[in-house]
Amino acid sequence: MGPELAKRDADMGVPKLVASASGTVIEIGPGSGNQVGRYDPNKITRIYGIEPNVGLHDKLRETIKNAGLSDVYTIVPCGVEDVEGLRKYGVDQEVFDTVLSVQVLCCVPNPKETAAALYRLLKPGGTMIVYEHVKSDDMISSKVQAQILREAGDWAKVDLRLPNEEDAALAIPRIWGHLTKAS
């Protein structure tokens, strides 16, 4: 992530979103670990980073170590759609307090199926934290992305910020916020 994008993400509240993660967390697509240093270790029991790109694992391990999270962070080398691969690492349905997805759903082949799979991983009352690109320079696609998230399951609370007209003029507008699974 370049310095300009990192600054924009910080300005839009990504550090606060990540720091709000708690309990047993599943991070989708951690890449080389851009978000790892933003977790509040006092709130975290365990983190599972679902990263199918094994070429990023060495850098991710280094970032985890530098953040002091080696004892609680497990890299899972498969995609969220690989249920059997996930189970090998203890990743199963309805066991996670938090799902974190930062700039991932815009890149998966089927965001609707992926969002539904992420919903299934959450415990009842668990929270999905999202900060996602939307795919065009208009506000329609942000509403579609928000709709995909809303339709992923039965949410007790949806608190998503959609781009306003100023944000929509950005090259890559985003939506962000929290969705809480019904109990």
Side-chain angles (χ1 to χ4, degrees):
M1 177 184 312
E4 290 301 314
L5 282 177
K7 181 182 180 330
R8 176 76 177 154
D9 287 353
D11 291 347
M12 294 180 85
V14 175
K16 287 169 76 174
L17 283 171
V18 176
S20 70
S22 63
T24 303
V25 177
I26 190 160
E27 181 178 4
I28 305 304
S32 59
N34 290 337
Q35 308 312 322
V36 169
R38 293 174 169 172
Y39 286 106
D40 179 344
N42 297 316
K43 294 181 182 177
I44 301 299
T45 306
R46 191 112 193 100
I47 304 169
Y48 294 83
I50 309 301
E51 181 52 69
N53 185 343
V54 295
L56 297 173
H57 289 187
D58 287 342
K59 177 63 176 158
L60 179 56
R61 273 188 207 88
E62 179 184 332
T63 305
I64 292 165
K65 182 180 177 187
N66 291 341
L69 296 174
S70 295
D71 292 342
V72 298
Y73 200 114
T74 300
I75 299 171
V76 180
C78 63
V80 72
E81 71 287 344
D82 182 355
V83 175
E84 291 306 313
L86 294 174
R87 284 192 180 129
K88 290 178 186 175
Y89 289 85
V91 176
D92 211 345
Q93 293 184 12
E94 295 194 344
V95 297
F96 290 91
D97 300 295
T98 305
V99 169
L100 177 69
S101 179
V102 176
Q103 302 180 114
V104 174
L105 291 177
C106 61
C107 302
V108 297
N110 192 329
K112 192 172 188 173
E113 285 180 18
T114 301
L118 297 176
Y119 174 86
R120 289 189 297 270
L121 295 172
L122 280 172
K123 290 179 179 177
T127 301
M128 183 183 295
I129 302 170
V130 296
Y131 178 79
E132 293 294 342
H133 298 107
V134 292
K135 291 186 177 181
S136 77
D137 59 0
D138 62 41
M139 292 177 62
I140 293 171
S141 60
S142 66
K143 291 177 182 168
V144 169
Q145 187 85 317
Q147 182 177 347
I148 287 170
L149 290 167
R150 283 188 183 99
E151 291 175 355
D154 182 19
W155 301 108
K157 182 178 179 187
V158 175
D159 182 16
L160 292 176
R161 184 183 183 287
L162 300 176
N164 58 31
E165 288 190 33
E166 180 181 314
D167 296 333
L170 298 171
I172 307 174
R174 293 159 174 82
I175 62 170
W176 66 89
H178 298 81
L179 300 96
T180 305
K181 188 173 183 175
S183 296

